[in-house]
Amino acid sequence: MEIESILLKQRDFFKTQQTKSLAFRKMYLEKLKNLIISHENMLYEAINKDFGKSKFDTFTTELSFILNDINYYLKNLKSLSKPKKVRTNLVNQLGSSKIYADPLGCVLVIGAWNYPYQLSLSPIIAAMAAGNCCILKPSEIAENTMKAMAAIINENFPPEYLYVYEGGIDETTALLKLRFDKIFFTGSTKVGKIVYKAAAEHLTPVTLELGGKSPAIVTKNANLEMAAKRIVWGKFLNAGQTCVAPDYLLVEETIQEQFLEMLRKYIKEFQYDQNSEQYTRIINQRNFQRLIHLINKEKIYSGGNFDEEKLYIEPTILNHIDWNDDIMQEEIFGPILPVISFKNYNAALNSILELEKPLAAYLFTSDSEEKENFTRKLSFGGGCINDTVMHLSNDHLPFGGVGNSGIGNYHGKYGFETFSHPKAVLEKATWGEPNIKYPPYSEKKLSWIKKLM
């Protein structure tokens, strides 16, 4: 079935108004939930084939997010969809004003390979909850998970409502030539620019979830044990192939040696060896080669070993790094953690300000002034104080980038709003209207209008 034909059918189906029904939305959200639960083992097997992700990590970082998203919308869909009554200004009395959440229409979601289920299905779930028809293009890099999602959805949903389009760059290019009512893309900044440019041809609104070099800062006022434990977990989760992973570490000079030893201790404690099920492989040869070329052997503090055949790279800490090193010129997206020392906290913040705005930022400290300067001074998509990555797990917080790290956000109500148009409606009474806005004009009418404004 040609993808253009499917999009035309989705346009026709959207015009029937069926997707605007809350009962319709809930029915298909429930159906997707049940399908994910009943196909859980198949989903585990597919992602393990792609890059060795364990059942534990797949559930905690992928399926649990998806199921929680569905449960959130099933619980809150009525209140999210309810027209919001707002104040009516004086010049529009007697009248009432409401904002209606209108579905946008036919949307395209382009997923990413690093969390292939979560980053494909979470946006789709938000789009379904908002009342849209959807085409999903998962990443072909995680081929087995792409096929698993296609099998689950295409065999159980009408294509005029929800469809998974398999393929690679050629298929994505063909999709981007079509006119959608919204495009949601997760991936690299480089590809995000291509998507944005294609969307501009049709004036299609976009949400871009990109990446960047996300810093983690540790000051002498931090709980060092907890900081080390949480940074090691957040950095080496998914073998560092996480868009919000700490990309590099800024450590206050007076505690650097002590802290590096703590990092090494937790890497060993978490057992990130090549035969461990809690440590993911690198996705493919191309990314493997890119990563090992970023490891400066002269600056290895810990780790540095790899197995090309198994696509395994040991968690690696690089010390004595400066801002001009190769590893500081691009997002790492792998299990390599460069460490830069600093003497002055505010000077360290200023150094971060010289870079593109990151998707995430993390600070470890107990000092209230340091916390205040961090949140006030730095611009970033989202982050944590005294933790890493976990801000994603709160569906009351928006998730998204800023500047070079993305446009727009989602999760919870923010996902619903991303795939909706806030339609403004003013309803006026047909009696009791003053005549001052109508011709013929006069100075007296103008003076009254100035008073009313």
Side-chain angles (χ1 to χ4, degrees), residues 400-413:
V402 58
N404 218 51
S405 60
I407 299 169
N409 48 57
Y410 69 124
H411 288 186
K413 74 167 187 174

Side-chain angles (χ1 to χ4, degrees), residues 3 6 10 32 66 106-112 115-125 127-128 133-139 145-154 159 161-167 171-172 175 180 184-186:
I3 195 62
I6 291 173
Q10 288 198 352
L32 182 57
I66 294 162
C106 299
V107 306
L108 169 63
V109 172
I110 304 174
Y115 290 88
Y117 298 136
Q118 184 204 147
L119 299 180
S120 294
L121 294 179
S122 284
I124 284 290
I125 289 161
M128 291 168 66
C133 296
C134 314
I135 290 175
L136 168 62
K137 171 59 185 70
S139 172
T145 59
M146 175 181 70
K147 291 184 180 300
M149 286 185 281
I152 290 173
I153 290 174
N154 293 350
Y161 172 55
L162 177 60
Y163 185 77
V164 176
Y165 188 47
E166 298 180 69
E171 286 75 17
T172 305
L175 280 170
F180 289 90
F184 189 107
F185 169 80
T186 303

Side-chain angles (χ1 to χ4, degrees), residues 228 231-241 260 263-276 278-282 288 291-292 295 299-307 311-319 327 332 334-339:
I231 287 170
V232 167
W233 175 79
K235 174 61 181 181
F236 300 112
L237 178 72
N238 210 40
Q241 299 167 119
L260 288 174
L263 292 175
R264 195 198 323 245
K265 180 186 79 169
Y266 280 108
I267 290 172
K268 184 177 180 181
E269 188 175 307
F270 292 167
Q271 299 176 15
Y272 290 134
D273 59 79
Q274 60 183 323
N275 297 314
S276 170
Q278 60 257 21
Y279 193 63
T280 309
R281 297 194 306 267
I282 304 305
F288 179 88
L291 287 165
I292 61 172
I295 300 175
K299 297 192 176 185
I300 294 174
Y301 174 84
S302 176
N305 297 311
F306 55 86
D307 185 326
L311 295 177
Y312 167 83
I313 298 177
E314 183 182 13
T316 300
I317 298 173
L318 302 181
N319 198 12
I327 200 162
I332 298 165
I336 309 166
L337 182 60
V339 180

Side-chain angles (χ1 to χ4, degrees), residues 334-404:
I336 309 166
L337 182 60
V339 180
I340 299 174
S341 66
F342 67 87
K343 293 180 180 179
N344 181 279
Y345 175 69
N346 286 313
L349 295 184
N350 289 336
S351 296
I352 296 170
L353 284 170
E354 293 298 315
L355 306 176
E356 295 283 3
K357 296 174 182 178
L359 184 58
Y362 306 107
L363 171 67
F364 290 83
T365 185
S366 59
D367 185 274
S368 58
E369 186 176 344
E370 289 176 347
K371 294 175 186 178
E372 171 66 21
N373 285 343
F374 171 79
T375 53
R376 179 179 54 82
K377 202 167 188 178
L378 296 185
S379 179
F380 52 90
C384 305
I385 295 174
N386 294 321
D387 206 348
T388 62
V389 179
M390 290 302 292
H391 60 294
L392 269 70
S393 64
N394 184 352
D395 57 22
H396 299 289
L397 289 173
F399 173 66
V402 58
N404 218 51

Side-chain angles (χ1 to χ4, degrees), residues 2-4 7 108 165 168-180 202:
E2 290 293 329
I3 195 62
E4 190 169 3
L7 179 58
L108 169 63
Y165 188 47
I169 295 173
D170 290 343
E171 286 75 17
T172 305
T173 302
L175 280 170
L176 291 174
K177 291 178 181 177
L178 304 178
R179 182 176 180 269
F180 289 90
H202 302 291

Side-chain angles (χ1 to χ4, degrees), residues 26 71-81 395-396:
K26 287 184 176 182
N71 289 335
Y72 173 86
Y73 290 121
L74 289 173
K75 181 180 178 181
N76 295 286
L77 195 54
K78 185 176 180 180
S79 61
L80 288 169
S81 304
D395 57 22
H396 299 289

Side-chain angles (χ1 to χ4, degrees), residues 12 57 59 64 93 108 126 155 168 177 246 297 321 343 451:
D12 289 339
D57 276 345
F59 183 80
S64 66
Q93 300 296 339
L108 169 63
E155 292 173 12
K177 291 178 181 177
K297 293 181 180 179
I321 298 296
K343 293 180 180 179
K451 289 176 184 178

Side-chain angles (χ1 to χ4, degrees), residues 1 12 97 102 157 170 242 293 318 337 445 447-448:
M1 195 180 293
D12 289 339
S97 303
D102 243 15
F157 288 84
D170 290 343
T242 304
H293 283 101
L318 302 181
L337 182 60
K445 286 183 178 181
S447 68
W448 271 108

